[in-house]
Amino acid sequence: MKILVCDPISAKGIALLQQRPEFEVVVLPKRLSESELLPAVKEVVAMVVRSETKVTSKVIEAAPRLRVVGRAGVGVDNVDVDAATQHGVVVMNTPGGNTVSTAELSFTMLLSLARKVPQAYASMIGGKWDRKQFQGTELFGKTLGILGLGRIGSEVARRALSFGMKVLAYDPFLTEARAKTLGIELAADLDNVYRDADFITVHMPVTDQTRGMLNAAAFARMKPKVFLVNCARGEILVESDLLAALDSGKVGGAALDVYAAEPLPPEHPFRKHPAITLTPHLGASTHEAQEKCGIEVAEVITAYLLTGEVRNAVNLPYLDAKTYEQVKPYLTLGEKLGRLLAQLAPPQVDRIHITYGGKAQELPNIDPVSRAILLGFLSRASVKDLNNVNVRSIASTLGLTVEEKRSNEPVTFNEWLHVQAFRGEEKLISAGGTFFGSPENPRIVRLFSQPTEIVPFGVVLLLENKDRPGIVGYLGTLLGRHHVNIASMSLTRDTVGGRALTVLNLDSVPPPEVLAELEKDPDIANVNVVKL
C-alpha cells in the first residue's frame, strides 16, 4: 500500500510507517501544487499532510485507491472533507498533539505583555537602557478571562492558577461542576469577563457567533488597560477596532499569533504598533508538538489501513454499508434536533437524555445517531475541530452527560427521536422528531412539550403568543413589509385564548427591526430565530 508523505513530519513518524512491510512510503522532497500532485496520487492509498499541501476535490478524484488522508495537526482547512467523504476517504487529524505547545505559547504571551519583554529587548539591542519605560505588572492576584475552555483553554487555566491568578472562564457549554473541578469561576456571560478580567485570552473556534466578536463594542465593555492574547483564530478579532482601542488606551496591550490574513502583510499596521507583540502562527511550532503529531498521524493511518480502526476522524465514522443505510436518515434528524436545542437552551446544560422510540429503538447501532445529536448540540460551543468521533469525549470534557434509552412505550409516530436537555434535575427544553412519508422528509413535531411541525432546514422563527384573532395576519404583514417570505407555518395553542406556539419557516433571516417590533408586542414572548 503506497503512502505519500506530502509535507515534512517528524522522522519518528516516517520511521513508524516505513517499518511496516505492508507499506511503500514515498516522502516528497518539496510541497507540490495541485497540478503536480495529480499524477503523483494515482496509486496512493494514504496521504500524510500538514497545512501546506492542499488536498482538493481534483486531487481526491485523481486518486481512485485513496482510503485515508492523515493531517499532522488539528485544522483540516487544506483538505476538502466533503469531497473526501463522498469518495469514501476517511480524513483524520491529530487534535492532541499541539495542546500543550499552544497553551504554553499563550501563557508566554501573557508574561510578555505583563512585563513588556519584547519592547524591552528591542530597546536594549537599540543601545538604550530605559528601565522606567518598561515598568510592568504582576500576574499574581490578577484575573484572567478565558474565552473558550476546551483542551487548550483548560491547560492555560491550570498554568494561570499556579501563578496565583484568579481564572474567570466563559464557555456556554461548560458545566458548573466541571468548572469547580478545574478550580475556576464560570462566567454567566461575556460581559462578566469583560467587566472583571485584567487579562483576556481567546481559545474559541471561528463560528458565526465568534467571528468578529472582539470588536469595538466588546472593547468598550472591558476594563481600562486590559491585556489581550489571541492564539486561536485571527477572524475572531476585528483588527481595525483593536488598533483604535490600543490608540485610545482602552486596551493596554495585545499579543497575537494569528491573523485574519496570513502571512501578515509586510505593511500591516500591527507590525509598527508599539503595544502589540506579534508571532508568526507559532502555536504548534515546537519540536515536541511536531514529533507528537508525526507519530500520532502515523499511528492512526497504520491502524486504519491494517485493522480498519478509525481514530480522530473528522468525517463520518466507519459503519458497514447495511447499518449505515439504516441509520443514515436519523443522522440528519438527530443533528437538526441537537442544533435546535443548542440555539434555544439556556447555558450550562449538564445532561442530554435521548429516547429512541418506535422503529428507532430497533436500530442495530444508535451510537452514530447519538453522536449526530451531540454534534448538532455542541456545534455552537467553543470547541475546535469538533467531529463525530471526538464529540463524546468533548462532551465529557465539558461536563455534559449523555443518557440513551430504547423505549418500547407506544408512540404516535412510526419513528421517534426525543431529546431533552437538563441542568441538574431541571428539564430546560425538549424536542422530538420523526419522518413524514419517507426518511427523506424529517420533521420536528414536538417542542417545549407542545405539538408542532417544523421543517428542519434553513431559517426558523419561533415565538409564543396569546391566542388572539389576527395574529397570523399581523405576522404575515410584518414580515412581508420587510420582504421576508414565509415558506411554511405551524401554530399550536393550549386552550382557546391561551398561549400558542407559533413556528414559521422563512426564506431569509428577518432583520433586527422585525424582531424588535415583535418583542414590543405585549402578547408575544420568547422570540427566537434559529438556523437549521
Side-chain angles (χ1 to χ4, degrees), residues 296-313:
E296 188 175 356
V297 76
E299 289 175 342
V300 296
I301 286 177
T302 299
Y304 178 69
L305 291 179
L306 299 185
T307 70
E309 178 187 358
V310 176
R311 280 186 278 159
N312 301 337

Side-chain angles (χ1 to χ4, degrees), residues 469-506:
I471 188 69
V472 174
Y474 165 66
L475 292 173
T477 301
L478 174 60
L479 291 167
R481 192 164 68 242
H482 290 272
H483 309 290
V484 178
N485 193 49
I486 301 173
S488 63
M489 181 175 184
S490 171
L491 192 150
T492 306
R493 66 186 183 185
D494 51 9
T495 60
V496 176
R499 301 300 296 176
L501 172 64
T502 300
V503 179
L504 298 95
N505 282 89
L506 305 177

Side-chain angles (χ1 to χ4, degrees), residues 316 319 324 327-336 368-369 372-373:
L316 288 177
L319 294 169
Y324 178 70
V327 304
K328 184 178 178 181
Y330 293 92
L331 299 179
T332 300
L333 177 59
E335 192 269 339
K336 299 298 184 181
V369 184
I373 292 169

Side-chain angles (χ1 to χ4, degrees), residues 172-442:
F173 290 84
L174 184 72
T175 64
E176 189 69 47
R178 176 60 176 164
K180 288 181 179 178
T181 300
L182 294 172
I184 65 176
E185 181 180 342
L186 185 60
D189 52 41
L190 283 168
D191 281 345
N192 282 13
V193 178
Y194 294 158
R195 183 184 64 243
D196 297 336
D198 303 293
F199 294 81
I200 293 176
T201 179
V202 186
H203 301 286
M204 289 180 159
V206 177
T207 66
D208 290 342
Q209 290 70 43
T210 63
R211 188 182 303 276
M213 66 181 288
L214 294 179
N215 52 27
F219 295 136
R221 303 200 299 275
M222 294 180 188
K223 290 179 75 171
K225 301 297 182 182
V226 66
F227 292 100
L228 179 69
V229 174
N230 185 13
C231 294
R233 287 290 186 267
E235 297 90 333
I236 293 173
L237 175 71
V238 178
E239 295 180 345
S240 58
D241 289 356
L242 174 62
L243 288 167
L246 287 165
D247 290 340
S248 71
K250 179 66 176 182
V251 175
L256 310 174
D257 186 49
V258 290
Y259 312 93
E262 296 185 3
L264 191 68
E267 300 304 317
H268 196 287
F270 278 177
R271 293 183 181 270
K272 299 178 181 179
H273 202 288
I276 301 181
T277 296
L278 305 175
T279 51
H281 206 147
L282 299 179
S285 296
T286 64
H287 296 295
E288 292 83 358
Q290 294 308 310
E291 186 163 293
K292 288 176 188 174
C293 288
I295 292 172
E296 188 175 356
V297 76
E299 289 175 342
V300 296
I301 286 177
T302 299
Y304 178 69
L305 291 179
L306 299 185
T307 70
E309 178 187 358
V310 176
R311 280 186 278 159
N312 301 337
V314 301
N315 47 2
L316 288 177
Y318 174 79
L319 294 169
D320 64 82
K322 182 179 178 181
T323 302
Y324 178 70
E325 286 303 313
Q326 290 175 288
V327 304
K328 184 178 178 181
Y330 293 92
L331 299 179
T332 300
L333 177 59
E335 192 269 339
K336 299 298 184 181
L337 283 168
R339 191 175 290 271
L340 176 68
L341 292 190
Q343 295 176 68
L344 296 177
Q348 280 83 62
V349 170
D350 59 22
R351 180 161 56 99
I352 293 289
H353 185 92
I354 306 168
T355 301
Y356 293 82
K359 292 182 180 179
Q361 60 95 16
E362 300 172 2
L363 289 172
N365 188 350
I366 61 174
D367 176 69
V369 184
S370 296
R371 289 174 181 267
I373 292 169
L374 282 175
L375 196 65
F377 186 75
L378 294 176
S379 60
R380 291 164 58 87
S382 55
V383 177
K384 209 174 180 182
D385 303 298
L386 182 72
N387 58 67
N388 300 64
V389 172
N390 66 18
V391 69
R392 282 191 182 270
S393 63
I394 287 174
S396 178
T397 298
L398 294 171
L400 181 64
T401 302
V402 182
E403 300 172 343
E404 297 149 295
K405 176 185 178 182
R406 296 178 186 258
S407 174
N408 292 315
E409 296 178 10
V411 292
T412 306
F413 304 96
N414 288 332
E415 302 90 359
W416 180 242
L417 270 187
H418 191 240
V419 186
Q420 302 174 83
F422 292 83
R423 184 194 296 134
E425 296 303 315
E426 178 190 5
K427 184 171 76 172
L428 303 173
I429 188 174
S430 63
T434 187
F435 304 107
F436 276 15
S438 72
E440 288 73 37
N441 291 310

Side-chain angles (χ1 to χ4, degrees), residues 74-88:
V74 179
V76 289
D77 298 342
N78 56 316
V79 180
D80 190 329
V81 177
D82 289 337
T85 302
Q86 291 172 7
H87 288 79

